[in-house]
Amino acid sequence: MILWLWLCWSFSTSAAQPDSELMARYLEEELMADYSIMEQVARRVPRQARFLQRLETRPRMSEFSVKSTIISRYAFTTVSCTMVNSGSEEREGVFEMQIPAAAFISNFTVFIGNKTYYGEVTGKEKKHRSDDKAKQKKPLNPTDGKENGYETFKASVFIPRKMQAKFLLHYEELLQRRLGKYEYIVSVRPQQLVGRLRVEVNILEKSGIVSLEVPPLRNSKQKGNGKVEGDDSPPPSTTVGHTKTLAKVTFNPTVVEQTRIARNGILGDFIIRYDVNRELSVGDIQILNGYFVHYFAPTDLPPLPKNVIFVLDSSASMVGTKLKQTKEALFTILQDLRPEDHFNIIGFSNRIKVWQQDRLVPVTPNNIRDAKKYIHNMSPTGGTNINGALQTSAKLLNDYIAQNDIDARSVSLIIFLTDGRPTVGETQSSKILSNTKDAIREKFCLFTIGIGNDVDHKLLERMALENCGMTRHFQEDEDAASHLKGFYDEIGTPLLSDIRVDYSEDNVEQVTQNFFPNYFNGSEIIIAGKLINHTSESLHVEVTASNSKKYILLKTDVAIDLPSTNDIRGIPGLEDGKGDKNYIERAWSYLTIKELLNSRLKSDDNQEKDSLMEKAKSMALAYNFVTPFTVLKMKEAGLHSEPPQEEFIHSSTDGIGEKLQSLQGHKAPPGIRRQQDKQRIRISKTSADGDPHFVIDFPSSKFSVCFNIDGEPGDILRLVSDHKESGVTVNGQLIGAPAPPNGHKKHRTYFSTITILNNKPERSYLEITPRRIILDDGERLLLSCDRNAVVRSSSLEVSISANSNITVTIRDTISFVILIHRYKKPAPYQRNHLGFYISNSKGLSSDSHGLLGQFLNHEVKLLQESLNTSHQQVGQNQTEALKTNPTNTLKVKGRLVPVVWKQRKIYNGQQEVNCWFAKNNADKLIDGSYKDYLASHPFDTGTSFGTINSL
């Protein structure tokens, strides 16, 4: 007895100040078997640990696991938690889980002993009855303790003695791309050390996974976050394995490793970041069982200039850390403004203080310095005049746009920050909303930021939604400076404006937003819909947008009958049943419900709001989603003599979390759908293709002339040179290959690069290879030859037919067609190369030169005296005679050129051309010699022999 009392005393006294890590290590090393009913599904717990558990009043958590399956950005998450009541009486077990605010709960199940309680999603009534029984049945609210971007799901049950309870929570979300990465976050906060803790995330991305990373656990509110300063390594016990399209990440810490991270069991957020392979194209379109989802996130685009006004709350409530961190963030943001941007700053409290009256100033070192001084001198005082600040900033930006010759390609926006509610001037939210909407008039976007718990989050959220912006909310004790800078980074680099996505009208229905005012670097536009024409073999897709001074059109046809491509059943690592769900259909339903919630939030019409609510409720019930208009009713499974007990789990009524760019856009205005351009450009025979073989067509003479150029690899040939008059130059660079066996040549040469330079009305150039195109008119744009696309500016159009050809049109009077020759399995003497064809030369001057250009405005004569006929009367019989006549001669600019009859194939061998062939590198046919047409570099615009200019 004395020994037993001593053991009790020693454990109870040491429990006050325990060395948790040593205790945990000792407990793990002293594992003892105990297969009670409470622990059959959990790791065996040592006797000493069970003794300590008995000293506590709450049930112990024996297992906490999270398994997630992410398929093409759509995440299915299942949380499993087992609690054991080892006591001698019934105890309350509380299950608590933070989930993303944008996620939808899809199921919740509780197992208590041999009883099962399952969730059934039902429509929410406007008013709930509150009788005594309902009061006794404690309602469970998953949004208790809402934090920034997250909501806390909470459920409590009473666990009989010597029994266990198991909770299963399912939720779904569509991952959003920010700053170039998708971020999946799991909250690992069991509130205690757990014998069996595991997180497993499986990722499947058909387009390929890149930049997969697992940073340290994040817990900004706890000191014990497991992160060592400067340490970016994954949390302990994390394993990462992946192939090109599949990844598996696990986090399985022992009790000792948990103790090292946080002794209280609050480990933090387990984060996975990754991106997928992408290019400037129509995007990633996936189709499965009658539904499609379209991800559009182009890269390698030049940024658009910005006109931005920063509106900062300087009321008394901003005193201290909030204003200090805001200033720090603005100092950094000002440094990141680009030289082509314009900006202004407004501070507001009772009074509205504008830094630069009636204008936006350019980004210069002096202006940035003065702006920092202005921000530094801001002091917190007075109330909060939100309406006045928004009216002033909107008027300032509207006047600037109307009265100044601003860059038509620029993007205008207001960034508004506050920590409170309106207390001065207009204080009614409805009035502020209508005033703001009337002031902005859809001419620019408003982005709102709220700091702290006193902010009117609904007001800021709706203001942003109604004015094509986004909103963020940060807690007061968080690092506001880094959050503000991160938010600015998301919207600080606009790449496209007025993005519209169209699908063949007879193929789709119920398509989500398809018009977006802006696309920001690192984000992603997501569209989904239903297919209605099940007999169609393909879905036609067109994306139109503006970038800088260019209009971009991307086109493609996606095969519809691809069940094996997007069906993920049977893929290793995805055996949890998620493969049986149509993830594309659920992504469509997710986006559609979000769109309905957004529309309802923006609406001022009660009848419209009710209609939108019913539509959202109906779809949520069909897909078993808990939304602001549905609840999760818990029922006991099986047959019972008594009515089943019920508990209600309500979803958030505080909106739908953070609003992201991919969920914002507007329905495209009617009547702006661009008609498909059916015009086809005629291609002439005048060309340089193959090894390279040159053909010049003389339509008025009714014959063609051809010649070869036996150049050296690396040579750059001047094909068209009219820089002084029309401003156009075309150069082609040769690449070498071995000659075919038994041939007379020592090697072959092909065009590997075609460079088109244009100096009128503005300087620009195109660099074309068989794989990609670089268009640079002061801003660089990279295009792939693998996708259909059209890019238009005021004087230039580039049209790409995927893997086939590129048409370049300059000022509608000059057109070139570049054929793409690519080989899947090239022979040793074959190389991927280009062919150059002149389609329209009307805009080239009579002084144009180059190997092809010198013949465009000159005629040649065929001397045929021996036949006693004129060349205008050459028919089939005369042509046959000419083939055998060794004395045929061309007269070119007074020079006599001997020629022979030949046949050439052009257009990838699709057309045969009869031509008069000039030997010896076109000796006497061309002005000068072959070497006179060598350019020093691809951008050489020299127009006369021996002269070198550069664009």
Side-chain angles (χ1 to χ4, degrees):
M1 179 64 68
I2 295 175
L3 177 60
W4 175 249
L5 292 175
W6 178 81
L7 284 173
C8 292
W9 176 83
S10 64
F11 277 122
S12 61
T13 55
S14 63
Q17 297 291 332
D19 187 332
S20 301
E21 183 174 337
L22 291 176
M23 177 63 71
R25 187 184 301 277
Y26 175 72
L27 296 181
E28 283 200 327
E29 291 174 351
E30 298 295 328
L31 288 175
M32 299 184 66
D34 185 355
Y35 293 98
S36 66
I37 187 172
M38 290 79 72
E39 297 167 350
Q40 287 180 1
V41 296
R43 181 179 296 178
R44 288 179 290 174
V45 179
R47 181 186 304 169
Q48 293 88 342
R50 292 199 304 277
F51 179 77
L52 287 176
Q53 290 171 4
R54 294 190 189 103
L55 299 179
E56 297 186 2
T57 59
R58 61 176 177 170
R60 295 294 299 178
M61 189 180 295
S62 61
E63 174 257 351
F64 180 87
S65 65
V66 179
K67 186 168 184 180
S68 175
T69 302
I70 303 172
I71 311 169
S72 295
R73 294 81 145 170
Y74 195 78
F76 300 89
T77 302
T78 300
V79 183
S80 174
C81 174
T82 302
M83 293 184 180
V84 178
N85 180 9
S86 302
S88 57
E89 59 184 21
E90 183 181 64
R91 290 176 181 168
E92 185 181 27
V94 179
F95 169 65
E96 190 172 310
M97 181 70 187
Q98 288 186 4
I99 65 173
F104 286 147
I105 293 172
S106 56
N107 207 347
F108 181 58
T109 308
V110 181
F111 304 90
I112 305 176
N114 59 357
K115 292 185 178 182
T116 301
Y117 301 87
Y118 66 94
E120 179 181 305
V121 177
T122 62
K124 181 188 289 187
E125 298 178 3
K126 291 185 178 181
K127 293 183 179 181
H128 294 287
R129 296 179 181 177
S130 54
D131 52 25
D132 293 338
K133 290 184 179 180
K135 291 180 181 178
Q136 292 175 2
K137 300 297 178 184
K138 188 177 180 180
L140 308 178
N141 191 344
T143 62
D144 290 343
K146 183 174 180 180
E147 297 185 14
N148 177 33
Y150 297 92
E151 294 174 348
T152 302
F153 178 91
K154 224 174 196 181
S156 64
V157 297
F158 284 94
I159 307 173
R161 68 185 189 89
K162 306 299 181 184
M163 298 290 282
Q164 71 177 16
K166 184 173 184 179
F167 304 86
L168 283 178
L169 174 67
H170 302 264
Y171 62 88
E172 302 175 21
E173 62 181 311
L174 185 60
L175 302 186
Q176 304 299 322
R177 188 169 183 257
R178 294 182 183 172
L179 302 177
K181 294 287 182 68
Y182 302 100
E183 186 174 76
Y184 176 74
I185 302 176
V186 174
S187 175
V188 186
R189 292 174 171 83
Q191 309 292 327
Q192 54 185 281
L193 300 177
V194 183
R196 184 184 176 193
L197 190 151
R198 178 180 176 85
V199 177
E200 178 182 321
V201 181
N202 295 284
I203 306 172
L204 170 63
E205 294 287 352
K206 289 288 187 175
S207 53
I209 299 171
V210 296
S211 306
L212 179 66
E213 61 182 49
V214 184
L217 290 170
R218 181 178 66 192
N219 191 342
S220 60
K221 295 191 175 185
Q222 299 292 337
K223 293 181 180 179
N225 61 0
K227 180 177 179 180
V228 180
E229 190 67 27
D231 179 22
D232 292 327
S233 59
S237 79
T238 300
T239 60
V240 180
H242 69 92
T243 62
K244 182 180 179 181
T245 58
L246 280 169
K248 182 175 183 178
V249 181
T250 60
F251 173 55
N252 189 23
T254 64
V255 176
V256 172
E257 289 169 325
Q258 294 174 49
T259 307
R260 289 173 179 168
I261 299 171
R263 296 180 180 183
N264 58 6
I266 303 178
L267 304 186
D269 293 326
F270 184 75
I271 304 170
I272 297 174
R273 298 190 186 103
Y274 72 95
D275 199 14
V276 299
N277 286 316
R278 64 184 76 250
E279 58 188 8
L280 178 60
S281 69
V282 75
D284 179 14
I285 303 166
Q286 301 183 23
I287 299 173
L288 181 63
N289 296 337
Y291 294 86
F292 74 90
V293 63
H294 183 181
Y295 301 99
F296 180 66
T299 57
D300 297 315
L301 293 168
L304 302 176
K306 297 188 300 297
N307 307 308
V308 56
I309 298 179
F310 301 97
V311 185
L312 309 177
D313 189 343
S314 60
S315 61
S317 59
M318 287 287 289
V319 68
T321 304
K322 285 186 285 189
L323 187 57
K324 179 183 177 183
Q325 291 188 336
T326 300
K327 290 180 178 182
E328 290 175 358
L330 261 294
F331 290 159
T332 306
I333 289 171
L334 289 174
Q335 288 298 130
D336 289 345
L337 291 174
R338 296 182 177 85
E340 61 269 22
D341 295 339
H342 290 75
F343 73 105
N344 203 341
I345 301 167
I346 295 177
F348 72 95
S349 53
N350 292 48
R351 300 168 55 196
I352 313 299
K353 302 175 183 178
V354 181
W355 172 49
Q356 296 287 339
Q357 292 292 333
D358 303 324
R359 62 175 180 154
L360 272 68
V361 298
V363 176
T364 64
N366 288 341
N367 286 337
I368 295 297
R369 179 200 62 202
D370 294 343
K372 288 183 177 181
K373 288 181 181 178
Y374 176 79
I375 294 171
H376 176 75
N377 293 328
M378 289 177 66
S379 58
T381 181
T384 308
N385 189 352
I386 289 179
N387 184 72
L390 289 170
Q391 293 299 302
T392 301
S393 58
K395 183 179 185 304
L396 176 60
L397 193 51
N398 271 316
D399 290 347
Y400 176 77
I401 294 172
Q403 298 173 8
N404 293 273
D405 185 20
I406 67 167
D407 198 329
R409 58 199 174 121
S410 62
V411 172
S412 300
L413 49 95
I414 293 175
I415 299 178
F416 179 87
L417 180 146
T418 184
D419 76 327
R421 299 172 181 270
T423 60
V424 177
E426 181 58 67
T427 58
Q428 289 188 17
S429 295
S430 59
K431 287 283 189 179
I432 295 174
L433 287 168
S434 61
N435 291 343
T436 303
K437 193 172 182 179
D438 291 342
I440 291 177
R441 302 195 299 272
E442 297 184 350
K443 291 188 176 180
F444 45 85
C445 297
L446 171 65
F447 299 85
T448 60
I449 304 168
I451 301 179
N453 297 322
D454 297 329
V455 72
D456 190 340
H457 179 62
K458 284 187 176 180
L459 174 62
L460 297 185
E461 179 182 63
R462 185 168 172 183
M463 280 197 304
L465 279 176
E466 290 185 349
N467 298 284
C468 72
M470 294 185 284
T471 185
R472 291 288 186 275
H473 179 225
F474 308 131
Q475 293 296 328
E476 188 171 339
D477 53 354
E478 292 180 326
D479 183 3
S482 62
H483 283 304
L484 288 171
K485 179 60 170 62
F487 180 54
Y488 173 79
D489 289 342
E490 290 184 48
I491 62 176
T493 309
L495 299 183
L496 293 173
S497 60
D498 300 327
I499 306 100
R500 178 185 170 89
V501 184
D502 285 307
Y503 308 91
S504 39
E505 294 178 354
D506 57 344
N507 269 7
V508 299
E509 67 177 0
Q510 298 185 42
V511 178
T512 57
Q513 292 103 324
N514 68 334
F515 180 77
F516 302 84
N518 298 302
Y519 165 72
F520 297 101
N521 187 37
S523 65
E524 184 172 58
I525 289 173
I526 308 176
I527 305 166
K530 294 177 66 176
L531 301 177
I532 56 176
N533 187 354
H534 299 291
T535 61
S536 179
E537 296 181 353
S538 64
L539 175 65
H540 183 74
V541 184
E542 292 190 6
V543 179
T544 58
S546 297
N547 168 265
S548 185
K549 301 176 183 178
K550 295 179 282 291
Y551 163 85
I552 297 174
L553 169 63
L554 307 171
K555 298 185 291 185
T556 194
D557 291 296
V558 182
I560 290 179
D561 188 19
L562 289 175
S564 59
T565 301
N566 294 318
D567 193 339
I568 51 85
R569 288 176 290 185
I571 294 179
L574 304 180
E575 301 91 350
D576 56 359
K578 301 300 184 297
D580 295 330
K581 296 186 177 182
N582 187 341
Y583 63 96
I584 295 179
E585 179 182 355
R586 296 191 74 81
W588 166 78
S589 65
Y590 177 98
L591 284 173
T592 302
I593 293 173
K594 293 288 187 184
E595 178 182 318
L596 291 169
L597 295 176
N598 282 354
S599 298
R600 183 180 184 274
L601 187 64
K602 293 188 290 185
S603 176
D604 291 320
D605 184 87
N606 289 332
Q607 186 175 354
E608 183 185 30
K609 289 168 77 77
D610 289 342
S611 174
L612 292 168
M613 180 188 71
E614 290 302 320
K615 289 180 181 179
K617 182 193 294 186
S618 176
M619 181 163 285
L621 292 174
Y623 289 91
N624 217 59
F625 285 147
V626 179
T627 70
F629 311 123
T630 54
V631 294
L632 193 61
K633 184 184 295 185
M634 301 302 296
K635 292 186 176 181
E636 185 174 347
L639 298 175
H640 301 275
S641 57
E642 298 179 1
Q645 298 178 351
E646 298 180 354
E647 292 178 345
F648 288 91
I649 299 176
H650 299 270
S651 71
S652 169
T653 57
D654 296 332
I656 56 173
E658 296 175 316
K659 302 300 177 292
L660 305 174
Q661 175 66 22
S662 62
L663 302 180
Q664 284 171 2
H666 307 284
K667 287 291 184 182
I672 69 168
R673 189 176 193 277
R674 194 192 62 82
Q675 297 295 323
Q676 295 186 14
D677 187 3
K678 297 183 179 180
Q679 180 183 2
R680 301 184 64 88
I681 295 179
R682 180 183 60 84
I683 302 178
S684 74
K685 299 174 185 177
T686 302
S687 60
D689 204 346
D691 184 17
H693 302 316
F694 289 75
V695 176
I696 300 109
D697 187 36
F698 296 98
S700 60
S701 301
K702 297 184 179 179
F703 65 81
S704 300
V705 176
C706 52
F707 60 92
N708 293 346
I709 292 295
D710 296 327
E712 295 294 328
D715 283 355
I716 301 172
L717 307 185
R718 191 174 290 117
L719 303 178
V720 177
S721 182
D722 195 28
H723 183 72
K724 289 184 177 180
E725 300 298 329
S726 67
V728 175
T729 302
V730 182
N731 297 327
Q733 186 165 8
L734 298 178
I735 187 174
N742 303 320
H744 66 281
K745 293 185 177 182
K746 61 179 180 179
H747 59 245
R748 284 188 164 189
T749 54
Y750 305 93
F751 286 118
S752 63
T753 305
I754 299 291
T755 307
I756 301 174
L757 306 106
N758 178 35
N759 199 38
K760 294 181 180 180
E762 297 174 342
R763 301 171 64 182
S764 61
Y765 75 84
L766 278 162
E767 188 177 47
I768 303 170
T769 73
R771 294 287 180 185
R772 55 105 183 101
I773 302 166
I774 297 175
L775 168 59
D776 195 322
D777 56 356
E779 294 175 336
R780 186 182 176 93
L781 178 65
L782 182 65
L783 301 161
S784 171
C785 294
D786 296 332
R787 303 285 184 176
N788 294 330
V790 177
V791 179
R792 292 176 184 156
S793 64
S794 58
S795 60
L796 180 69
E797 177 179 311
V798 180
S799 178
I800 305 171
S801 179
N803 299 315
S804 177
N805 61 76
I806 301 107
T807 301
V808 180
T809 304
I810 301 172
R811 297 187 296 276
D812 295 324
T813 59
I814 303 170
S815 295
F816 305 126
V817 178
I818 295 90
L819 296 190
I820 303 170
H821 302 275
R822 293 209 318 226
Y823 304 93
K824 291 183 178 179
K825 296 180 180 180
Y829 53 86
Q830 291 178 325
R831 294 289 185 271
N832 293 338
H833 65 281
L834 302 171
F836 176 75
Y837 292 75
I838 298 177
S839 173
N840 182 2
S841 60
K842 291 180 180 178
L844 295 172
S845 74
S846 58
D847 294 328
S848 63
H849 212 268
L851 288 169
L852 292 175
Q854 63 186 297
F855 299 104
L856 296 177
N857 293 288
H858 295 278
E859 288 295 327
V860 298
K861 293 182 180 180
L862 179 62
L863 304 182
Q864 306 169 43
E865 291 80 357
S866 60
L867 294 175
N868 195 25
T869 184
S870 64
H871 64 272
Q872 289 88 349
Q873 298 173 335
V874 171
Q876 182 63 33
N877 293 333
Q878 290 86 353
T879 300
E880 294 297 325
L882 287 172
K883 293 180 184 178
T884 58
N885 189 346
T887 61
N888 294 311
T889 305
L890 291 178
K891 187 174 182 180
V892 182
K893 298 180 182 180
R895 301 187 298 267
L896 299 179
V897 184
V899 292
V900 297
W901 186 259
K902 267 201 173 187
Q903 288 186 330
R904 283 278 167 86
K905 290 185 177 181
I906 57 176
Y907 309 151
N908 281 328
Q910 296 177 8
Q911 183 173 341
E912 199 167 67
V913 177
N914 297 322
C915 61
W916 293 106
F917 179 73
K919 299 181 179 179
N920 302 323
N921 269 357
D923 183 37
K924 296 184 180 180
L925 176 68
I926 59 176
D927 295 336
S929 67
Y930 159 74
K931 292 185 177 181
D932 293 324
Y933 296 86
L934 295 181
S936 61
H937 55 79
F939 306 101
D940 181 3
T941 59
T943 55
S944 60
F945 301 142
T947 301
I948 298 176
N949 296 316
S950 295
L951 182 68

